[in-house]
Amino acid sequence: MSQHVAGLASEKEARDVAEAARESEWSGPSFVRELFLGRFRLDLVHPHPPDDPNEAARAKPFFDRLTEFLQRVDSDMIDRTGDIPEAYVQELRDMGAFGIKIPTEYGGLGLSYSSYVKAMAMVTSKDGSLTAMLSAHQSIGLPQPLKLFGTDEQKQRFFPRLAKGAISAFALTETDAGSDPANMHAHAEPTPDGKHFILSGEKLWCTNGTRADLYVVMARTPDAVVNGKQRKQITAFIVEASWPGVEIVHRCRFMGLKAIENGVIRFTNVKVPRENILWGEGKGLKLALITLNTGRLTLPASAAGGSKALLQASRTWASERVQWGAPIGKHEAVAEKVAMMAANTFAMEAIAGLTVGLAEHGHYDIRLEAAIAKMYNTEHGWHIVDDALQIRGGRGYETADSLRARGERPIPIERAMRDARINLIFEGSSEIMRLFIAREAVDHHFKTAFALVDKESSKGEKAAAFGRVMRFYPTWYPARWLGKGQVPGAFGEFGKLAGHMRFAERHTRKLGRAIFHAMVRLGPKLERRQLVLFRAVDIGAELFAMTAACVKARKLEKEGNTEASMLADLFCRAAEVRIERLFADFYGRYDREMYRVAQQVMRGEYAWLEEGIIDMIEPDEGGAAPSAARRERAVVTTG
Ligand SMILES: Cc1cc2nc3c(=O)[nH]c(=O)nc-3n(C[C@H](O)[C@H](O)[C@H](O)COP(=O)(O)OP(=O)(O)OC[C@H]3O[C@@H](n4cnc5c(N)ncnc54)[C@H](O)[C@@H]3O)c2cc1C
């Protein structure tokens, strides 16, 4: 067994690995980064990036073909059988759907990122399993890291194959390495001549893995010594599915995305040429994280696309279905759902469009915007599918096949719900997104002042930190109390939305102050107060969403659309209520009690609460089911 295959990484080790892979420098300005520092830099996101008419014209033939194809696709059959027919995959290959962003010189369609995510939004409105296939290939599979980090030789070698429809997969997750890559066991040792690496290990939940021609595999390579310290190294390799030692061990099946080609892939002494390393030895985790930074822009757009379809189904049903003497949409409780669905869908599209627009601009660092877009849109998308199901009532819970069989319109809300749930988990779970955003939100304060409170820092480091603190805070802090949001009539160009922009400016400063106060009040303990940090993140996310919605409404208004302002206005009113609630309970009135009870629950101290059920967890070999064991312990401890 390799020296790398050890037990689970400690918390410190996990943090060190994540920190080493983190992009510590900012490659450009970021609206959200400024926002967490209490600075409302509207100029960074307003006006909304313009649409490119040339791009739209270039993309039209592809979109025409894609639309015609999707109208024909039998998604209920795909869901029922759990397989995407090869004929469909071939049609997608033929129209270039596997090479949307690949440059034309390599045989791809050469379309922009925004055309790509629009296509994914459209596919999602019809079929989540198809989105999973196309997006795992193009958002995180080989085309994306190849474009970002590939050498010219690698691009020449792989892009033409990928553009023709060779399917790729991204293999990072393992049984012990879910959101924490420090536990990665897959490893690759260099051969004595250094020309190859011998790769071994097993990857879990690899989307497209069971159908892929090519994998991007992240594996540990020998540790390196950096600044006198032993550092874990992770390297990204391009691996051919046809090579000896590559084996599909299991095809995984899920609650939704029934036809996703996802599996456990085993690599046993696979000989990988050094030329197949992407970017460089030891840069694999950073590559994976950077790939995900832009890769996760697909999910916000596809969540918005799915929500549009749900909105359409819900508003139709809410006006057609008559109960208690009126269409159900006339009853206030249903009307509320329809209205918020429309307002939230509008904001979701604004967030996705703005973030992609900024990414395409090239001069912005959009990692925080992308993380918020992923977290916010997938969570709102989930509420929308839940509301759509509620509006459809029993029909929402019934399968499309069953509805069709008894002569009703087969609206697949039940499938949409099953397909949407995973969005909050993969490509960075909601919790991991909040942690990532929180880490960046406090980064400036951390860099400026942390050495002052860190027990391990030297006298010299403390003195330097003191100098930085004295240079930054005496001007930054007082300026967080005054701003344009207090000036009546400010942001007048936003018309009836100006009040919302003033609210956003004032509350951005308030957020900057609140984060600073939390650092002063809690010091290094703040790191452990996830719920406090997450409230700050949620306020930041709401402020970003409000800004994106108003900026988009303003753009549409200039183009003659006046209804968009109504939606932006409603969205902002609701966001403001959420923001005020989050500030009012910033430190959490019962966070500590909650944490204490959670630990007690996990120790089995409330196992008596589980009496009278059939155990959900089957007994392990030779052992009792956990609840039985806990019940026994509870009896021992209480008796
Ligand atoms: C359908 C599907 C497709 C996938 N496709 C791919 C793919 O193509 N390639 C690939 O590499 N992976 C893929 N994955 C893996 C996916 O990215 C992981 O499921 C995800 O990273 C979370 O890992 P985990 O499920 O092991 O959860 P865990 O890391 O075990 O986390 C469990 C729960 O704890 C929370 N949690 C964990 N750590 C913390 C913390 N420090 N603070 C607060 N909360 C925490 C998580 O948010 C989650 O709610 C896929 C998974 C699925 C189900």
Side-chain angles (χ1 to χ4, degrees):
M1 198 183 266
S2 149
Q3 52 166 330
H4 304 306
V5 184
L8 299 187
S10 68
E11 188 176 350
K12 172 152 186 351
E13 241 181 316
R15 276 160 199 262
D16 286 351
V17 169
E19 234 3 78
R22 193 181 145 249
E23 285 174 84
S24 52
E25 298 307 320
W26 289 81
S27 59
S30 156
F31 174 80
V32 172
R33 181 170 189 255
E34 292 292 324
L35 199 143
F36 284 116
L37 277 170
R39 299 192 285 228
F40 188 66
R41 289 284 311 277
L42 184 62
D43 58 301
L44 293 175
V45 292
H46 177 61
H48 191 282
D51 302 323
D52 176 356
N54 294 332
E55 171 69 14
R58 280 189 327 116
K60 190 173 179 309
F62 167 67
F63 274 95
D64 287 347
R65 261 183 100 173
L66 183 66
T67 309
E68 189 276 322
F69 166 77
L70 290 170
Q71 281 162 346
R72 267 191 292 117
V73 160
D74 184 349
S75 293
D76 293 327
M77 176 272 288
I78 290 178
D79 184 63
R80 193 184 320 119
T81 59
D83 275 310
I84 302 171
E86 178 56 28
Y88 282 166
V89 179
Q90 193 52 47
E91 266 198 76
L92 287 166
R93 283 195 187 101
D94 294 344
M95 72 176 86
F98 284 90
I100 302 175
K101 296 178 278 124
I102 295 178
T104 46
E105 68 204 87
Y106 300 109
L109 296 182
L111 297 177
S112 67
Y113 211 97
S114 66
S115 292
Y116 164 68
V117 298
K118 266 184 212 154
M120 291 306 105
M122 183 187 275
V123 177
T124 306
S125 69
K126 180 70 193 266
D127 194 307
S129 291
L130 287 179
T131 308
M133 174 175 275
L134 293 170
S135 151
H137 169 69
Q138 292 171 95
S139 298
I140 54 176
L142 187 51
Q144 187 63 11
L146 188 63
K147 194 168 183 176
L148 294 174
F149 306 107
T151 61
D152 281 345
E153 183 275 328
Q154 288 172 332
K155 287 178 183 169
Q156 299 284 357
R157 203 149 41 106
F158 295 108
F159 266 151
R161 277 175 67 192
L162 294 163
K164 278 195 203 116
I167 297 176
S168 68
F170 176 84
L172 175 65
T173 303
E174 298 179 10
T175 314
D176 287 334
S179 43
D180 170 14
N183 284 335
M184 187 178 290
H185 292 329
H187 56 99
E189 316 291 342
T191 52
D193 63 5
K195 288 185 179 161
H196 292 85
F197 280 76
I198 304 300
L199 168 71
S200 289
E202 207 168 88
K203 293 292 178 180
L204 177 63
W205 295 326
C206 181
T207 302
N208 286 351
T210 47
R211 202 166 188 155
D213 303 283
L214 291 156
Y215 301 94
V216 179
V217 184
M218 265 52 69
R220 289 193 57 190
T221 42
D223 290 353
V225 177
V226 182
N227 299 334
K229 283 186 190 159
Q230 193 93 341
R231 276 271 166 80
K232 279 189 177 183
Q233 300 289 292
I234 293 173
T235 301
F237 296 93
I238 305 172
V239 176
E240 300 272 357
S242 59
W243 283 347
V246 180
E247 187 189 346
I248 298 163
V249 180
H250 172 72
R251 178 162 175 191
C252 304
R253 295 291 185 174
F254 302 95
M255 160 190 186
L257 300 181
K258 290 289 184 191
I260 190 174
E261 291 274 0
N262 180 296
V264 177
I265 314 297
R266 186 176 297 152
F267 302 92
T268 312
N269 296 326
V270 179
K271 200 171 170 190
V272 187
R274 183 177 278 279
E275 304 86 83
N276 279 29
I277 289 180
L278 267 169
W279 200 11
E281 228 180 307
K283 291 189 167 174
L285 189 54
K286 204 164 196 163
L287 172 140
L289 298 183
I290 295 175
T291 301
L292 281 166
N293 277 342
T294 35
R296 65 170 66 97
L297 288 177
T298 313
L299 269 174
S302 86
S307 297
K308 286 182 176 200
L310 293 161
L311 173 65
Q312 188 188 53
S314 302
R315 77 168 165 84
T316 309
W317 186 244
S319 38
E320 279 175 4
R321 173 71 170 169
V322 176
Q323 290 288 280
W324 303 91
I328 55 169
K330 294 275 181 189
H331 302 305
E332 207 174 68
V334 177
E336 183 226 359
K337 290 184 180 57
V338 173
M340 292 320 300
M341 206 182 270
N344 290 339
T345 300
F346 173 74
M348 285 161 69
E349 193 170 42
I351 293 169
L354 177 62
T355 311
V356 171
L358 294 174
E360 283 193 315
H361 192 282
H363 302 302
Y364 292 98
D365 194 321
I366 51 93
R367 73 187 106 136
L368 281 177
E369 284 78 358
I372 288 185
K374 194 276 173 185
M375 173 190 96
Y376 198 87
N377 280 14
T378 56
E379 290 182 356
H380 276 265
W382 175 245
H383 290 306
I384 286 174
V385 77
D386 190 33
D387 280 349
L389 195 143
Q390 193 69 15
I391 290 173
R392 286 274 293 159
R395 288 164 180 83
Y397 194 65
E398 189 171 2
T399 66
D401 280 344
S402 173
L403 286 163
R404 187 184 295 105
R406 58 182 191 80
E408 288 214 30
R409 262 188 306 202
I411 300 174
I413 307 279
E414 173 265 348
R415 166 160 61 85
M417 178 173 250
R418 285 189 281 108
D419 287 355
R421 187 59 183 83
I422 187 59
N423 293 344
L424 285 75
I425 297 171
F426 59 14
E427 294 187 18
S429 69
S430 283
E431 290 80 8
I432 298 303
M433 288 297 87
R434 283 188 172 80
L435 276 179
F436 169 78
I437 297 161
R439 169 69 188 88
E440 301 303 340
V442 297
D443 186 51
H444 192 277
H445 299 295
F446 194 79
K447 278 189 185 138
T448 310
F450 183 71
L452 267 184
V453 291
D454 184 13
K455 285 187 202 122
E456 286 179 21
S457 55
S458 65
K459 271 191 183 162
E461 284 165 335
K462 280 192 198 298
F466 184 72
R468 284 194 300 271
V469 165
M470 292 314 288
R471 278 192 300 280
F472 178 67
Y473 289 105
T475 47
W476 175 83
Y477 187 73
R480 303 289 61 80
W481 290 91
L482 293 168
K484 208 172 154 185
Q486 288 150 314
V487 180
F491 300 103
E493 64 165 305
F494 284 86
K496 69 184 229 182
L497 300 176
H500 297 307
M501 298 312 282
R502 291 197 292 274
F503 177 100
E505 196 280 337
R506 288 195 308 278
H507 288 77
T508 297
R509 283 185 284 110
K510 188 171 174 177
L511 176 62
R513 297 196 303 265
I515 293 174
F516 175 69
H517 295 162
M519 292 196 63
V520 173
R521 181 167 156 174
L522 299 170
K525 282 190 214 138
L526 177 59
E527 206 187 350
R528 300 247 157 226
R529 298 287 302 274
Q530 280 192 347
L531 294 181
V532 175
L533 287 168
F534 286 11
R535 286 182 198 106
V537 167
D538 285 345
I539 294 169
E542 295 288 3
L543 290 168
F544 177 51
M546 282 177 68
T547 310
C550 291
V551 164
K552 169 102 191 231
R554 179 78 193 113
K555 171 182 182 269
L556 292 177
E557 199 171 347
K558 274 191 168 170
E559 292 164 8
N561 175 337
T562 47
E563 290 105 17
S565 293
M566 289 281 287
L567 292 179
D569 176 55
L570 180 60
F571 174 77
C572 288
R573 283 171 193 269
E576 285 164 15
V577 171
R578 291 191 292 266
I579 289 171
E580 274 162 359
R581 275 192 201 135
L582 285 161
F583 272 125
D585 193 30
F586 198 71
Y587 289 99
R589 267 160 284 187
Y590 51 89
D591 285 1
R592 283 167 201 284
E593 290 74 12
M594 224 157 37
Y595 193 79
R596 197 175 314 128
V597 169
Q599 307 316 305
Q600 290 165 344
V601 169
M602 287 189 292
R603 284 197 299 270
E605 290 173 24
Y606 299 103
W608 47 265
L609 196 57
E610 297 159 14
E611 288 295 343
I613 58 161
I614 306 301
D615 289 332
M616 191 178 232
I617 306 181
E618 285 174 16
D620 292 338
E621 247 170 72
S627 67
R630 280 180 195 152
R631 271 204 292 272
E632 216 163 273
R633 252 188 63 199
V635 171
V636 171
T637 46
T638 52

